[in-house]
Amino acid sequence: KNMNDTGGGAQMQNGRQSGPLGFFQALQRMYNEYVLINAHSVGFMESGARGLLFLAPGFRESDTLTEMGYTTLGLLSLYHDVVVLGYLQKMWRGGEGKLSLTPRQQAVLTETGNNRGARVCMSIVQNVELFLEIATFHKLGERARWMVVAMLELVKLYLRLILRKDRTGRGLLAHQKVPDRSELLSEENAADFSADKVHSQMLADEMGYTGSHKNGSSPLRPTHLQGYILNDGRKSLLPLQPNPTADSVELKAILGEYLYIFRPVAYLVAMYAFGRTSWKPWVLSLVMDLTSLFYCARGRGQQTVGEADDFSHRRTQLLYYLLKPPFFSNVIKGAAFDRLLARFRSNAILGLLASVADYIEGYRSYHFYTAGSS
């Protein structure tokens, strides 16, 4: 009877939790509101924090400390990306006032509308994987390090299978991670992050208002779209409508996706079987990557924006094969390479290149630095 009389006020007031949990939720709401209102400038603060971290005394003396600092800032930046993405998707679905979005921004919101949890988990794993590998190696040794590496690669494999399955009617990966907020922010949509709009949306969220329409759909984000395809030499975008009678994605493209998804684990298994200095894991991994790209390029049909971006990212990651063992140590690195670096170090300007080479050499021994599985 007392509960009915008070309306549950002891536990919740106006949709807010009471007690310590309510206090932290209020702090989170205040911080989220600050991030959204300053969404176009918060990136400069993150860059400044990275610069200060780099200049901190003793920071570069320990690779564990260095990677921990960058991982922490990376997770903070990821949280800001999630806040901005969630805000725009709620406004996009609710349709309460037209958002000033470019066609490409609309494409990103459309293709990341489902399974945001899997994308957040993928982004977290890729942020922390190198730090966990380094810290485990220094604290627990080589065997424990490779166990952690194997577990993280299996987690990413599982998440990619979820994201591939989520692409209804397509089966192709797109936007595996939370999109960087720079993709969603522009001068044109600065007004969408005004204090009044942000406060209004957050108040609606707090009261549980979804902004749904009478017909159950949003006039701004058609739920039947599979994405936006590139048209006219990648200069314009067109909505991609589902067509159950057409095979826009062929079987060989699906095979290419599975080769891509399982390639990092196959590479680990081959290294375990033949050793890290053997050419067999390197060749196996390269063949799987090239075959995957070949099949995907010829079986994708019309590419959505997210699929095209993902495909371009995979091609760029082929450069990691130059740094992977045993190619780097047997082909690139040698006496001539060391003499060239020695000459660079004697020059004030070229010494920067030598510093970069030293940095690469220091981190090259870690799997996630050259794995190309991000």
Side-chain angles (χ1 to χ4, degrees):
K1 181 178 180 181
N2 291 337
M3 179 64 75
N4 292 333
D5 291 340
T6 59
Q11 299 295 326
M12 187 173 294
Q13 296 176 353
N14 296 327
R16 300 182 182 181
Q17 292 284 348
S18 60
L21 179 59
F23 173 74
F24 286 111
Q25 286 179 338
L27 286 179
Q28 183 185 26
R29 282 193 296 269
M30 291 172 59
Y31 183 74
N32 290 354
E33 187 170 352
Y34 172 81
V35 169
L36 291 172
I37 294 174
N38 299 278
H40 287 74
S41 59
V42 73
F44 294 107
M45 293 184 283
E46 294 170 358
S47 299
R50 289 188 181 92
L52 291 174
L53 193 63
F54 185 77
L55 296 174
F59 176 69
R60 288 176 290 175
E61 296 176 3
S62 168
D63 53 358
T64 304
L65 184 61
T66 301
E67 199 56 41
M68 182 179 69
Y70 284 126
T71 298
T72 302
L73 288 176
L75 291 174
L76 178 62
S77 179
L78 170 61
Y79 180 78
H80 296 161
D81 292 340
V82 172
V83 170
V84 172
L85 177 64
Y87 170 76
L88 287 175
Q89 283 182 335
K90 288 174 183 176
M91 296 276 284
W92 179 246
R93 285 194 296 263
E96 301 300 319
K98 186 176 180 180
L99 290 173
S100 303
L101 299 173
T102 65
R104 185 174 185 83
Q105 290 169 343
Q106 295 176 31
V108 172
L109 290 179
T110 299
E111 294 190 65
T112 57
N114 298 323
N115 252 332
R116 190 173 68 169
R119 289 184 173 86
V120 171
C121 289
M122 179 68 81
S123 299
I124 291 174
V125 171
Q126 293 185 0
N127 264 286
V128 304
E129 60 187 9
L130 183 56
F131 167 69
L132 290 179
E133 180 185 358
I134 294 173
T136 303
F137 172 68
H138 286 301
K139 296 296 182 182
L140 300 176
E142 183 77 3
R143 183 179 179 85
R145 164 202 174 188
W146 286 108
M147 290 180 64
V148 168
V149 168
M151 286 189 293
L152 290 173
E153 289 290 15
L154 287 173
V155 169
K156 289 194 291 186
L157 184 152
Y158 175 70
L159 291 172
R160 286 191 173 108
L161 289 176
I162 292 176
L163 291 172
R164 195 208 69 81
K165 184 179 179 181
D166 178 60
R167 299 280 294 155
T168 306
R170 301 288 296 175
L172 301 177
L173 288 168
H175 297 293
Q176 297 180 44
K177 301 185 292 184
V178 175
D180 190 281
R181 59 188 176 279
S182 61
E183 297 183 55
L184 299 172
L185 299 176
S186 60
E187 294 182 2
E188 290 78 9
N189 67 4
D192 295 326
F193 293 87
S194 65
D196 289 340
K197 276 195 173 184
V198 170
H199 184 72
S200 176
Q201 180 62 40
M202 295 190 72
L203 182 62
D205 293 341
E206 189 176 325
M207 301 304 293
Y209 175 65
T210 61
S212 58
H213 288 70
K214 292 180 181 179
N215 60 4
S217 63
S218 165
L220 292 181
R221 182 182 181 273
T223 55
H224 60 277
L225 290 183
Q226 291 182 310
Y228 286 75
I229 59 172
L230 297 163
N231 185 53
D232 189 24
R234 299 175 66 96
K235 294 180 181 178
S236 61
L237 302 173
L238 291 174
L240 175 63
Q241 309 286 351
N243 186 355
T245 63
D247 285 332
S248 60
V249 178
E250 298 180 14
L251 181 60
K252 56 187 176 183
I254 304 298
L255 175 61
E257 290 291 74
Y258 278 116
L259 283 172
Y260 164 75
I261 291 171
F262 283 92
R263 196 275 309 166
V265 174
Y267 179 54
L268 276 180
V269 172
M271 282 197 295
Y272 179 79
F274 302 108
R276 197 162 187 252
T277 59
S278 171
W279 280 97
K280 292 179 181 178
W282 188 89
V283 171
L284 172 66
S285 179
L286 180 61
V287 168
M288 290 184 72
D289 263 337
L290 292 177
T291 306
S292 171
L293 290 172
F294 177 81
Y295 280 150
C296 288
R298 282 158 178 75
R300 281 175 176 255
Q302 293 178 310
Q303 292 184 0
T304 68
V305 172
E307 292 165 1
D309 290 346
D310 192 82
F311 191 59
S312 176
H313 177 68
R314 296 186 205 179
R315 287 184 304 211
T316 303
Q317 285 192 315
L318 290 176
L319 293 174
Y320 281 115
Y321 282 96
L322 300 177
L323 300 177
K324 286 181 180 181
F327 186 88
F328 184 87
S329 55
N330 289 302
V331 178
I332 296 180
K333 186 173 173 58
F337 183 79
D338 292 336
R339 287 196 298 269
L340 183 63
L341 287 183
R343 290 186 179 182
F344 281 179
R345 291 189 182 94
S346 62
N347 186 288
I349 298 177
L350 296 179
L352 294 175
L353 295 177
S355 299
V356 172
D358 291 338
Y359 176 84
I360 292 174
E361 181 62 25
Y363 275 86
R364 193 179 57 82
S365 59
Y366 296 115
H367 172 79
F368 284 118
Y369 188 77
T370 61
S373 60
S374 61

